[in-house]
Amino acid sequence: MSGQVPDRSSRLRRVLRGPRPESVPTLVGRACAVVGLLDIAAGVFPRFRHSRMHALAEVLPGSFGPFAAALSLSAGVLLLLLAHGLKRRKRRAWRAAVALLPFGAAAEFLYRHSVAGVVIALALLGLLLAHRKEFAALPDPRSRWRALANFVLMSAGSIALGLVIVSVHARRMVGDPSFADRLTHVVYGLVGVEGPVDYQGNTSWTVAFCLGALGWLTAATTIYLSFRPEHPAARLTEEDEARLRALLAKHGRRDSLGHFALRRDKAVVFSPSGKAAITYRVVSGVMLASGDPIGDVEAWPGAIERFMDVARSHSWTPAVMGCSETGGQVWTRETGLNALELGDEAVVDVADFSLAGRAMRNVRQMVKRIERAGYETRVRRVADLGDAELDRIRRAADAWRGTDTERGFSMALGRIGDPADGDCLIATAHKQDAEPGEFGDLKAILHFVPWGPDGASLDLMRRDRTADPGMNELLIVAALRSAGKFGITRVSLNFAMFRSALARGEKIGAGPVLRAWRRVLVFLSRWFQIESLYKFNAKFQPRWEPRFVVYRASADLPRIGFAAMQAEGFLDLALPLPRVLRRRAAARPCAHALGERTVRAA
């Protein structure tokens, strides 16, 4: 680590204080969730309304008036919707709760004359007002897709809850309606139409009002989300990209993941001096950075402080995926966050690479066999390729992608052949066929991004599924052999998650815990290529550089892991375009400039 990180008077206070506990927002959010569940139970289950718990539920905001069941159900759902926002200190959730609680207190007094209900509503209101400064978080990035997701989820939840409402009154049903009749009654009731199920006495009105309330909530929340102002996710602007490229030109040699900061679906924060920057994306409320900060290490603390300020202002969970040991030390020292080893990056020193020796026998034999089969390789800079060939390579990479979901975030650039990326390397494999395919003689592609002036970092590997096995090994060897003429002395290959656990767990003397952990990783490798990627990297006898995840608390790790899997493309909760439409979009002249997402490891 060149240069010393400057000491600051606030650093020690931040470390000693640690993450700021959000006790009041958490307490209020949990109270709203509990009240919501009780109100839902009071509105749904008739026995609950006449139990001892009813004495408590009756005085909670939302359980009042002659329409107690429907209003209790509505209040419960709304409180549950607000609870998460209050836990995250969201200003809009605070405003909604402050606006609703006085109406709840007034209803308690006017309809039920309940002093206890008024006291509880006003107590919650007073708590919110007294701690109003705690609820200052800004809104998250959002789009119109949120309205569609709300409609689908609320409709499914309303139908499920509606079936419960219809079924709990079985003793008062007229006849014995089938499940289909009950489901039809629920669907009709959500839109305010009488269904085929009938009840004795006033139960029909109770069920009808409850189902109507659920339908109203579904419609109201969907309409609100559809027409509220849109806050699109941040994107890297041309000015930001130019500043990042200037920082990479000076300090890009420090981190092999530095060039991936130029993904255009990331946002960026700069240090006050402008000499350092951190790129990130917000996924499911997690502010996810990757790699080390870009720029002068002396300015890293300023960029980190800005990053944490933005996370705090939006109540996002801060996290860093894949930072180096140096980066982890700075992050933990500056913020009081924790670091956990995530895996290892495989780095090959070009001067030490050779196919000779017993350790390289399998790779050597595979490469010779493929070469005898008539394959040839070419390694070139992107700037040296023509437009027609670049277009063919882009189309082939998209067609050869193994899944419909495009993967990659922390170690993927997200595009191929952009004019601004002329210094990237492309290694291609070719074979002269009697009948050329859609992409001519092209059979496999490897794409590398710069790692400073003398390094390259693997971005993606794609191959024709009809080509002979071993295309990736062939092209990696070709890239390493050709690296010298491009002035490249080191090449970063794939990242192997939990590499040390896999390596140590298979050795003699490994303990039962380590062996059990290795078996779990081998089992997960059926879906996430954990073991196979480690073994593939190990073929080239690399040196292993540890990479870390930085997080605030152990309780945040599941949420961070979920967000990371979303960002990397392993979990796709959005509704993707059909493949045909994606191909049409990619065929437009500017498509590659908008960021075609790719994967670092196929």
Side-chain angles (χ1 to χ4, degrees):
M1 176 176 173
S2 61
Q4 298 295 322
V5 178
D7 291 329
R8 296 189 176 193
S9 59
S10 61
R11 181 191 308 156
L12 182 59
R13 292 197 298 271
R14 288 200 303 268
V15 174
L16 293 177
R17 183 175 67 238
R20 185 182 180 185
E22 308 295 348
S23 57
V24 172
T26 301
L27 176 63
V28 172
R30 290 176 179 173
C32 283
V34 171
V35 170
L37 291 174
L38 289 174
D39 283 351
I40 290 175
V44 171
F45 301 104
R47 292 185 179 181
F48 178 83
R49 293 200 303 274
H50 296 288
S51 66
R52 293 183 179 181
M53 287 296 293
H54 180 53
L56 173 63
E58 278 288 294
V59 300
L60 296 174
S63 298
F64 50 82
F67 309 107
L71 289 177
S72 178
L73 195 64
S74 302
V77 173
L78 289 174
L79 287 172
L80 283 178
L81 293 176
L82 288 174
H84 183 64
L86 291 173
K87 285 183 180 180
R88 297 184 58 206
R89 304 185 297 113
K90 291 299 183 180
R91 190 69 176 177
R92 289 177 182 266
W94 178 87
R95 289 173 179 170
V98 168
L100 289 172
L101 284 173
F103 288 99
E108 287 285 347
F109 181 75
L110 294 175
Y111 288 97
R112 295 190 68 254
H113 309 290
S114 172
V115 176
V118 173
V119 170
I120 289 179
L122 294 181
L124 288 173
L125 178 61
L127 184 64
L128 287 170
L129 292 175
H131 297 276
R132 58 185 177 276
K133 293 183 179 179
E134 296 282 348
F135 300 90
L138 301 175
D140 293 343
R142 57 179 181 251
S143 66
R144 302 303 182 198
W145 289 106
R146 183 70 181 273
L148 178 60
N150 177 84
F151 177 76
V152 173
L153 294 176
M154 286 287 291
S155 297
S158 297
I159 291 174
L161 191 55
L163 286 172
V164 175
I165 294 171
V166 170
S167 300
V168 295
H169 300 279
R171 292 185 178 182
R172 303 187 67 85
M173 283 183 181
V174 176
D176 186 18
S178 65
F179 177 80
D181 289 336
R182 299 183 188 191
L183 181 61
T184 302
H185 190 83
V186 171
V187 175
Y188 282 7
L190 292 177
V191 295
V193 178
E194 185 177 356
V197 180
D198 196 11
Y199 298 88
Q200 300 174 1
N202 295 327
T203 305
S204 294
W205 288 102
T206 302
V207 173
F209 274 94
C210 288
L211 294 178
L214 289 174
W216 175 83
L217 287 176
T218 301
T221 54
T222 301
I223 292 172
Y224 167 73
L225 293 173
S226 298
F227 289 96
R228 69 176 179 172
E230 188 171 4
H231 289 254
R235 292 291 184 267
L236 206 63
T237 65
E238 292 184 3
E239 180 183 358
D240 291 338
E241 184 174 340
R243 295 177 66 183
L244 286 174
R245 289 185 182 276
L247 292 177
L248 287 171
K250 295 180 180 179
H251 307 282
R253 195 179 190 278
R254 179 178 297 280
D255 186 14
S256 63
L257 307 188
H259 200 86
F260 298 122
L262 298 176
R263 284 185 66 105
R264 289 167 183 156
D265 56 359
K266 292 183 177 181
V268 61
V269 291
F270 290 90
S271 65
S273 65
K275 295 182 178 180
I278 299 173
T279 58
Y280 67 91
R281 188 196 298 172
V282 179
V283 183
S284 297
V286 177
M287 189 175 181
L288 202 61
S290 59
D292 291 344
I294 307 299
D296 188 355
V297 68
E298 300 280 348
W300 283 9
I304 290 174
E305 187 174 357
R306 286 278 180 89
F307 179 90
M308 297 300 292
D309 287 344
V310 173
R312 190 176 300 110
S313 66
H314 290 269
S315 192
W316 292 332
T317 300
V320 185
M321 300 294 297
C323 66
S324 68
E325 188 170 3
T326 299
Q329 289 174 350
V330 177
W331 272 100
T332 55
R333 185 169 65 240
E334 291 297 315
T335 63
L337 300 178
N338 303 299
L340 179 68
E341 185 171 337
L342 188 62
D344 295 88
E345 175 187 14
V347 179
V348 178
D349 294 312
V350 174
D352 298 333
F353 177 77
S354 173
L355 288 179
R358 182 179 180 83
M360 298 297 295
R361 182 178 62 180
N362 291 337
V363 177
R364 181 173 64 249
Q365 292 176 348
M366 180 175 290
V367 169
K368 288 182 177 180
R369 177 178 58 80
I370 297 174
E371 289 176 341
R372 286 195 300 268
Y375 288 89
E376 64 177 27
T377 59
R378 304 168 193 168
V379 182
R380 294 159 290 177
R381 297 279 189 189
V382 168
D384 297 331
L385 275 68
D387 293 339
E389 186 171 9
L390 274 176
D391 179 69
R392 183 177 59 166
I393 289 173
R394 282 194 293 268
R395 290 188 293 108
D398 180 69
W400 295 341
R401 189 174 60 241
T403 61
D404 288 337
T405 302
E406 297 178 343
R407 296 176 178 172
F409 167 68
S410 58
M411 299 179 182
L413 183 60
R415 58 183 181 267
I416 300 179
D418 190 282
D421 300 322
D423 49 354
C424 291
L425 283 178
I426 289 184
T428 54
H430 304 262
K431 184 180 182 182
Q432 297 296 332
D433 293 330
E435 296 181 1
E438 180 183 357
F439 308 109
D441 61 352
L442 184 63
K443 297 299 179 183
I445 304 165
L446 257 64
H447 186 253
F448 297 85
V449 300
W451 175 10
D454 59 348
S457 188
L458 180 60
D459 176 24
L460 90 162
M461 302 185 292
R462 299 280 168 82
R463 68 178 182 87
D464 188 344
R465 300 301 174 181
T466 64
D468 293 338
M471 290 291 102
N472 292 329
E473 290 88 341
L474 173 68
L475 287 181
I476 287 178
V477 170
L480 291 170
R481 286 173 169 174
S482 303
K485 68 179 182 180
F486 298 104
I488 294 174
T489 61
R490 54 193 178 148
V491 176
S492 169
L493 300 179
N494 297 295
F495 171 74
M497 289 186 63
F498 309 113
R499 194 275 314 176
S500 59
L502 289 170
R504 294 197 304 266
E506 62 184 356
K507 291 183 178 179
I508 296 177
V513 175
L514 188 57
R515 288 185 179 275
W517 175 227
R518 183 182 182 277
R519 284 195 292 268
V520 171
L521 294 176
V522 172
F523 175 76
L524 294 176
S525 296
R526 299 178 182 180
W527 298 278
F528 299 111
Q529 294 184 324
I530 298 174
E531 184 185 30
S532 60
L533 199 55
Y534 156 59
K535 290 185 175 180
F536 177 83
N537 291 335
K539 291 180 180 180
F540 303 96
Q541 302 300 307
R543 56 182 170 88
W544 299 100
E545 298 289 342
R547 291 280 173 174
F548 299 83
V549 56
V550 176
Y551 60 99
R552 182 172 55 189
S554 298
D556 293 333
L557 285 176
R559 186 179 183 186
I560 293 171
F562 182 78
M565 292 180 69
Q566 284 183 264
E568 296 289 352
F570 290 103
L571 292 175
D572 189 9
L573 304 183
L575 297 177
L577 287 174
R579 197 177 185 88
V580 174
L581 295 180
R582 289 201 303 271
R583 288 184 178 180
R584 290 179 179 176
R588 290 195 293 265
C590 61
H592 66 278
L594 296 177
E596 176 188 274
R597 296 178 64 189
T598 54
V599 62
R600 178 173 168 84

